[in-house]
Amino acid sequence: MAAAGIASFALLYAPQPLLPQLAERFALDPGGASLAIGVATGALAVAVVPLAALSEVIGRRPVIVGSVVGSVLLAAALSWAPSWPVFLALRALQGAAIAGFPGVAAAYLAEQLGRDRRGAGVAAAVGALVAGNTVGGMAGRLAAGLTAEPLGWHGALAVVTGLALVCAAVTVRALPAATRPTPRERPRVLAGLAAALRRRVLLAQYCVALLGMGSFVALYNAAGFRLTAAPLALSPAVASLVFLAYAMGSVSSVAVGRVVDRFGRARCLVTALLVTVSGAALTLPDSLPLVVLGFVVFTGGFFAAHTVANGWAATAAPAEARGQVSGTYTLAYYLGSSVGGTIGGVVYGHAGWGWLVGAITGWLGLAALAILAVRR
């Protein structure tokens, strides 16, 4: 599962540190360049629920393996995209292919590990899963950012494809088989989807996924432009080192998974959202140390919130709708990435960094209010 997460998230976000180069190459503004991320995550959001429903019929493992292998094959083609429309079309197909992994990963873990009434252990398992995903996201961004200058954006994406290919081979070889549903065990897809949308506590987790991920991608999409422009004026390779902040995401996701049973989901989740807001605020001054610290705090808070919300959704899911709940959560997560990331690029391009941080603060505040409304 860790290998599948590394491959999926390395490929999904590899273009993010390349956005300034893509904008220069294809004469785009920050909002237009952010479509390199937005179309992929938008296609992922569209495909995730159908693939999650498919996993109820053919099993989780075939969907995960097909997702990883298909996304690597499309990445090989993406490295040779001759124009911006072709690039975006391939990114959309790649996002749809990637959807199979995040759409069923939490449900697969819950079934493999078993669940009791309180869901003990599931939060820690999801924390470990999210930690692996953050390693993939960080590795893909760093590999692309550090190789963009000597190899160009084509070569940088090819390097990430090679990393993902190795991880795909590990996934195919090592992923344990799950029990395939029998005809009597296969739930009705529409009934399961209705159950996934009926509970208020689940709707609150989808809200966290939508607004939290939108905030996260919006800030990171604009990071390359902010760090390479005056007054910070870093080189693209040095600016890409901001993605080392993802290491804090790995730490915080595992840590919160271990303490959530002690302090309660609602308290941990609201606290994580407030930490995320404080991290965004720290990036406001034109001081490189404060900007770096802000990204570290922001990333740690976001991944802690995502871990709690994702585990909460998996635990609260009705038995007949585990796949649909996992798919709906992931749909909200990547719809937020697509829409929030694109809106954030437009806000930054037209109004600057301060307004972007203000928008993110509002989004995260709404997410915290949703959790407070269902905290009992």
Side-chain angles (χ1 to χ4, degrees):
M1 291 294 281
I6 291 171
S8 298
F9 288 92
L11 292 174
L12 184 61
Y13 290 109
Q16 197 169 51
L18 307 176
L19 293 182
Q21 290 88 338
L22 292 171
E24 182 180 358
R25 168 65 178 81
F26 295 107
L28 306 168
D29 61 17
S34 69
L35 289 174
I37 304 298
V39 296
T41 53
L44 191 157
V46 170
V48 69
V49 171
L51 288 175
L54 178 65
S55 75
E56 300 283 359
V57 178
I58 67 173
R60 318 288 188 202
R61 187 184 188 279
V63 173
I64 292 173
V65 170
S67 167
V68 174
V69 172
S71 60
V72 170
L73 293 176
L74 285 163
L78 185 68
S79 300
W80 303 101
S83 66
W84 186 240
V86 173
F87 185 93
L88 292 182
L90 289 172
R91 283 289 288 166
L93 291 174
Q94 188 179 44
I98 290 172
F101 172 71
V104 304
Y108 174 87
L109 280 179
E111 292 174 351
Q112 288 290 97
L113 298 174
R115 305 189 312 169
D116 62 20
R117 183 175 64 85
R118 295 183 59 206
V122 174
V126 172
L129 172 67
V130 173
N133 295 347
T134 61
V135 170
M138 181 175 66
R141 290 168 165 98
L142 286 174
L146 294 174
T147 58
E149 286 187 284
L151 301 179
W153 67 266
H154 294 88
L157 292 179
V159 169
V160 179
T161 301
L163 168 67
L165 179 62
V166 174
C167 292
V170 172
T171 301
V172 173
R173 179 71 179 85
L175 188 67
T179 303
R180 182 172 178 174
T182 64
R184 285 181 295 180
E185 293 173 336
R186 294 172 187 169
R188 291 177 298 171
V189 172
L190 293 180
L193 184 59
L197 298 174
R198 189 178 300 125
R199 298 187 178 184
R200 291 176 59 214
V201 67
L202 292 175
L203 295 177
Q205 310 319 311
Y206 306 153
C207 183
V208 172
L210 177 76
L211 296 171
M213 187 57 166
S215 302
F216 184 74
V217 173
L219 201 71
Y220 269 100
N221 275 358
F225 296 98
R226 169 86 185 282
L227 293 172
T228 56
L232 299 177
L234 303 178
S235 68
V238 174
S240 69
L241 294 178
V242 71
F243 297 111
L244 287 171
Y246 266 61
M248 180 54 70
S250 299
V251 173
S252 67
S253 57
V254 173
V256 77
R258 291 175 175 172
V259 302
V260 69
D261 289 334
R262 177 180 177 183
F263 295 103
R265 297 187 182 99
R267 183 181 299 177
C268 288
L269 185 45
V270 171
T271 300
L273 290 170
L274 293 176
V275 170
T276 310
V277 169
S278 67
L282 283 172
T283 67
L284 286 170
D286 290 326
S287 165
L288 185 58
L290 282 178
V291 170
V292 171
L293 176 61
F295 271 101
V296 171
V297 174
F298 178 80
T299 304
F302 166 74
F303 278 109
H306 170 45
T307 296
V308 178
N310 198 6
W312 195 344
T315 302
E320 71 277 10
R322 292 173 185 168
Q324 286 89 337
V325 168
S326 179
T328 304
Y329 181 91
T330 308
L331 183 152
Y333 189 79
Y334 288 104
L335 185 62
S337 174
S338 179
V339 176
T342 302
I343 292 175
V346 173
V347 171
Y348 173 73
H350 288 83
W353 190 262
W355 281 94
L356 174 60
V357 171
I360 287 171
T361 299
W363 296 344
L364 294 172
L366 288 175
L369 289 176
I371 295 302
L372 292 174
V374 298
R375 63 188 181 278
R376 296 185 184 275

